[in-house]
Amino acid sequence: VRIAVDAMGGDHAPAEIIEGAVAAAVGDGIPVMLVGAEKTITDELKRYRYPGDKVTIVHAPEVISMDDHPASAVRRKRDSSLVAATRLVKEGAAAAIISAGNTGAQMAAALLILGRLPGVERPGIATVIPSPMGPKVLIDSGANVDSKAGHLVRFAYMGSLYASRVLHAGNRAPRPSTAPIHWMGIRVTGGRGGPRVALLSVGSEPTKGSEAVIEAHQILAQAGDLNFVGNIEGRDFLSADVDVIVCDGFVGNVALKLVEGVVFTLTGMIGREIRRNPLRMLGGMLVKPAFGSLYRQFDYATYGGAPLLGVNGLSVICHGSSRAPAIRNAIRFAERAAQENIIECLSKG
Amino acid sequence: VRIAVDAMGGDHAPAEIIEGAVAAAVGDGIPVMLVGAEKTITDELKRYRYPGDKVTIVHAPEVISMDDHPASAVRRKRDSSLVAATRLVKEGAAAAIISAGNTGAQMAAALLILGRLPGVERPGIATVIPSPMGPKVLIDSGANVDSKAGHLVRFAYMGSLYASRVLHAGNRAPRPSTAPIHWMGIRVTGGRGGPRVALLSVGSEPTKGSEAVIEAHQILAQAGDLNFVGNIEGRDFLSADVDVIVCDGFVGNVALKLVEGVVFTLTGMIGREIRRNPLRMLGGMLVKPAFGSLYRQFDYATYGGAPLLGVNGLSVICHGSSRAPAIRNAIRFAERAAQENIIECLSKG
């Protein structure tokens, strides 16, 4: 399978994007299609040695910037790297598109070009978050606001499927007792032994939460084909032993960025406190490796990108600040998702 | 002014509650009324020396537990410490009630006994959150779900008033250029020089957010009598230079508990990493004081309780796990709010 890479999107495009793509091609043997201004890409590629059949260039001279209005940019800039890369997926030339550019535009391109899967009203972004208990899937981490109960229920199913097929496949041993179960006619690993799915709410009781969350809880609690474990609260966000956290995109976006901000603020405050006197600084040097392994555990780059689940094709959203290792990981993730036939699994019914 | 203290509510009631109340009476000279089972309170009080006129007991034998259904418990248990303490405020015998017990029941008691202020459809909980930039007010941190734009706008005004009257009074020098402005006929410190009020959303642009947030943004942007600075995102939650963060109670509750959980999880992970080898442990001992001062900056106990703003009387909600220092601080906070006539300010119009 080939992965289409939007070479022009992201804070560090094109250099870091192309470096990451070449690393995936050389190090992981994944064929990549670099989509963007041909001259720019060719110039960048001069810095690397790579097998010619693994790295191809698709010329698309236009660029969608971070300030562009998503939907109208997608309609207007038909020769942009993002639109061209998404079209490669639609046409079957690529198995997935990854981009670190304008997220709104990427979602708009996915909706307009790839279209929704049958029965999916609102696709959701499935982001893998690192935690002491291992990686979890957060869905929706920002595609929608004002989600209704039905949307949350759909996120739960899509998140469960993604966790069982893509996440557990490589990162974590499957849980015991994964009796095969069926969802909408297809066999998925779910039910009692499948990924543990939780709703993010303001209390553990089924009666706590917004109207949509309370209604979604009722539906999920009766769903025999999903391993629904109930509500979790904000304080359990990182520590809960669950595989999938389901919430509205407004809440998910705030939560995800909050974790990022708190980690950043806290480590900054610790650093300032440590630099206040020489003894602490000595201690700081000794404990530095501990922070290093903590950072690695919390590094979003490990999990690369977040797919928009519910559209008819793989569109993987990367953090705007992604550097080469994050791009490489996103490409590996996209390849794994493609090989697991995640879209086919999601669409059968 | 006297402060009514629910002696029976909280994880560490009655011992820590009574210890905190006595500390406020002795150390801060604030008269307290301990409300609960007389015998229990008398026994606890034997451990302390205190001026008899500063500590009085109001007998209320019933207890509302954490498992009680809020509204029905308030209606049924009329001789509970919580209901009796709230009634003392209604009757004018106390200037405020503080409790670390069942939060839902405390809100129900406030709504049923004290009633709403004119024009307030939904009261909101105003929680002070510590941050590197100084304390901020988060409103609503959990009283409501599914808030409409009008509710968010009301939270913004109540939060601004609370920040200017209570928070800045003691914790922070007032900002320059606090030209007095008027809101609903009363003079408040607001406008350009007043507390900086922000909406929590998923992007800084006015067009980003849920329907309610977008509409509230439009209204607040045109409000000349409020220092509205626009949207902030989750990653700015701690670091933004604002005084008031406005959001729906579902989002506020998740955010607040998330910060708590992330701080707890991170420090636990750092500790485990440090204990992995002896050199790191030595370093850990040297940097420990740095963590100590960090903890103090982040200690929720510093800011004591969170008032339910919008009801006709001061009802201050304390964290269920509050110990004596948190209770003492909540009593000091309640006294300051009472002396600043915060309810009168909120109700005039």
Side-chain angles (χ1 to χ4, degrees):
Chain A
V1 298
R2 282 189 177 269
I3 309 297
V5 178
D6 172 7
M8 316 309 274
D11 303 346
H12 306 294
E16 297 270 343
I17 310 296
I18 291 172
E19 185 183 336
V22 171
V26 175
D28 309 307
I30 303 171
V32 295
M33 306 171 89
L34 292 170
V35 187
E38 189 168 10
K39 173 85 174 62
T40 312
I41 297 172
T42 314
D43 286 350
E44 280 294 330
L45 281 176
K46 284 180 185 146
R47 297 163 53 196
Y48 309 100
R49 293 175 57 102
Y50 54 89
D53 60 322
K54 295 282 191 199
V55 180
T56 49
I57 301 175
V58 176
H59 181 56
E62 286 183 292
V63 173
I64 293 180
S65 78
M66 297 307 275
D67 306 322
D68 274 324
H69 181 272
S72 65
V74 169
R75 285 205 188 81
R76 225 175 51 246
K77 299 187 174 175
R78 300 190 54 83
D79 274 334
S80 62
S81 54
L82 178 65
V83 170
T86 308
R87 228 159 31 212
L88 290 172
V89 177
K90 173 72 177 173
E91 293 158 359
I97 172 233
I98 76 150
S99 175
N102 184 323
T103 302
Q106 186 174 356
M107 289 194 290
L111 287 168
L112 292 170
I113 298 167
L114 304 175
R116 290 174 181 80
L117 287 175
V120 176
E121 205 174 305
R122 294 200 182 180
I125 298 173
T127 300
V128 177
I129 52 173
S131 86
M133 313 293 296
K136 305 179 180 28
V137 175
L138 176 73
I139 182 170
D140 171 30
S141 65
N144 306 278
V145 296
D146 299 318
S147 302
K148 305 267 188 302
H151 304 136
L152 296 175
V153 170
R154 177 67 68 158
F155 296 157
Y157 278 97
M158 294 196 297
S160 175
L161 195 87
Y162 184 70
S164 81
R165 287 289 169 121
V166 180
L167 198 57
H168 288 189
N171 288 291
R172 194 174 181 179
R175 285 165 190 284
S177 147
T178 48
I181 59 98
H182 290 74
W183 171 57
M184 297 179 68
I186 57 147
R187 183 183 149 147
V188 295
T189 303
R192 297 268 154 168
R196 294 161 62 87
V197 178
L199 267 174
L200 183 59
S201 189
V202 295
S204 53
E205 306 88 336
T207 53
K208 289 277 179 76
S210 60
E211 250 182 64
V213 168
I214 292 170
E215 196 188 328
H217 186 113
Q218 288 170 345
I219 299 169
L220 291 171
Q222 284 164 19
D225 52 356
L226 197 84
N227 192 2
F228 178 61
V229 297
N231 292 352
I232 61 164
E233 297 182 63
R235 73 167 64 85
D236 316 314
F237 191 77
L238 290 183
S239 57
D241 185 21
V242 301
D243 302 297
V244 181
I245 299 177
V246 175
C247 61
D248 168 54
F250 186 98
V251 176
N253 179 288
V254 167
L256 202 61
K257 289 176 178 168
L258 196 56
V259 174
E260 221 180 298
V262 172
V263 172
F264 188 79
T265 302
L266 270 187
T267 49
M269 288 172 84
I270 291 172
R272 275 192 298 279
E273 284 296 335
I274 285 177
R275 282 191 296 274
R276 280 201 181 178
N277 86 41
L279 260 186
R280 287 188 190 175
M281 282 179 71
L282 172 65
M285 281 161 59
L286 295 174
V287 298
K288 208 169 181 186
F291 283 89
S293 47
L294 192 71
Y295 275 128
R296 275 189 295 280
Q297 285 178 66
F298 261 91
D299 191 356
Y300 284 81
T302 312
Y303 303 101
L308 181 66
L309 296 184
V311 291
N312 193 11
L314 260 176
S315 180
V316 176
I317 297 164
C318 297
H319 204 293
S321 64
S322 293
R323 292 189 179 272
I327 296 297
R328 176 179 175 178
N329 276 320
I331 293 169
R332 294 166 64 177
F333 238 64
E335 193 223 16
R336 191 190 300 160
Q339 283 183 334
E340 291 282 343
N341 293 315
I342 187 84
I343 301 298
E344 209 185 319
C345 292
L346 287 166
S347 65
K348 280 214 186 119
Chain B
V1 299
R2 279 187 181 273
I3 309 296
V5 177
D6 172 7
M8 316 308 276
D11 303 346
H12 306 293
E16 296 271 344
I17 311 295
I18 291 172
E19 185 183 334
V22 171
V26 175
D28 308 309
I30 304 172
V32 295
M33 307 171 88
L34 292 168
V35 187
E38 189 168 12
K39 174 84 173 64
T40 313
I41 297 172
T42 314
D43 286 350
E44 281 292 331
L45 282 176
K46 283 180 185 144
R47 296 162 54 195
Y48 308 101
R49 292 176 58 103
Y50 54 88
D53 61 322
K54 295 282 191 199
V55 180
T56 50
I57 301 174
V58 176
H59 181 58
E62 285 183 292
V63 173
I64 294 180
S65 78
M66 296 308 275
D67 306 321
D68 275 325
H69 181 271
S72 65
V74 169
R75 286 203 185 83
R76 224 176 52 244
K77 298 187 174 175
R78 302 191 52 82
D79 275 333
S80 61
S81 54
L82 178 64
V83 170
T86 309
R87 227 158 34 213
L88 290 172
V89 177
K90 173 73 177 174
E91 292 158 0
I97 172 234
I98 75 150
S99 175
N102 184 323
T103 301
Q106 185 174 356
M107 290 195 288
L111 286 168
L112 292 170
I113 299 167
L114 304 175
R116 289 175 183 80
L117 287 175
V120 176
E121 206 174 302
R122 295 199 181 180
I125 299 173
T127 300
V128 177
I129 52 171
S131 87
M133 312 293 295
K136 306 178 178 31
V137 175
L138 176 73
I139 182 169
D140 169 30
S141 64
N144 306 278
V145 295
D146 299 317
S147 303
K148 304 268 190 303
H151 304 136
L152 296 175
V153 170
R154 178 65 70 157
F155 297 157
Y157 278 99
M158 295 197 297
S160 174
L161 196 88
Y162 184 70
S164 81
R165 288 289 168 119
V166 180
L167 197 58
H168 288 189
N171 288 291
R172 194 173 181 179
R175 283 165 191 282
S177 147
T178 49
I181 60 97
H182 291 73
W183 171 58
M184 296 178 67
I186 57 147
R187 182 182 147 148
V188 294
T189 303
R192 298 267 154 168
R196 293 160 64 87
V197 179
L199 268 174
L200 183 60
S201 190
V202 295
S204 53
E205 306 87 336
T207 53
K208 288 277 179 77
S210 60
E211 252 184 63
V213 167
I214 293 171
E215 195 188 329
H217 187 113
Q218 288 171 345
I219 299 169
L220 291 171
Q222 284 165 19
D225 52 356
L226 197 84
N227 191 3
F228 179 60
V229 299
N231 292 352
I232 62 165
E233 297 182 64
R235 73 167 63 85
D236 317 313
F237 191 77
L238 290 183
S239 57
D241 186 21
V242 301
D243 303 298
V244 181
I245 299 175
V246 175
C247 61
D248 167 53
F250 186 97
V251 176
N253 179 288
V254 167
L256 202 61
K257 289 177 178 167
L258 195 57
V259 174
E260 222 179 296
V262 173
V263 172
F264 188 79
T265 302
L266 270 187
T267 50
M269 288 172 83
I270 292 172
R272 275 192 299 279
E273 285 295 335
I274 285 177
R275 282 191 295 275
R276 281 201 181 177
N277 86 40
L279 260 185
R280 287 187 188 175
M281 283 180 70
L282 173 65
M285 281 161 60
L286 295 174
V287 298
K288 207 169 181 184
F291 282 88
S293 48
L294 192 72
Y295 275 128
R296 277 189 295 280
Q297 286 179 65
F298 262 90
D299 191 357
Y300 284 79
T302 312
Y303 304 100
L308 182 66
L309 296 183
V311 292
N312 193 11
L314 259 175
S315 181
V316 176
I317 297 162
C318 298
H319 203 294
S321 63
S322 294
R323 294 191 177 270
I327 297 296
R328 177 179 175 178
N329 276 321
I331 293 170
R332 293 165 65 177
F333 238 64
E335 193 222 16
R336 191 192 298 161
Q339 284 181 333
E340 292 281 344
N341 293 314
I342 187 84
I343 302 298
E344 208 184 319
C345 292
L346 288 166
S347 64
K348 279 211 186 122

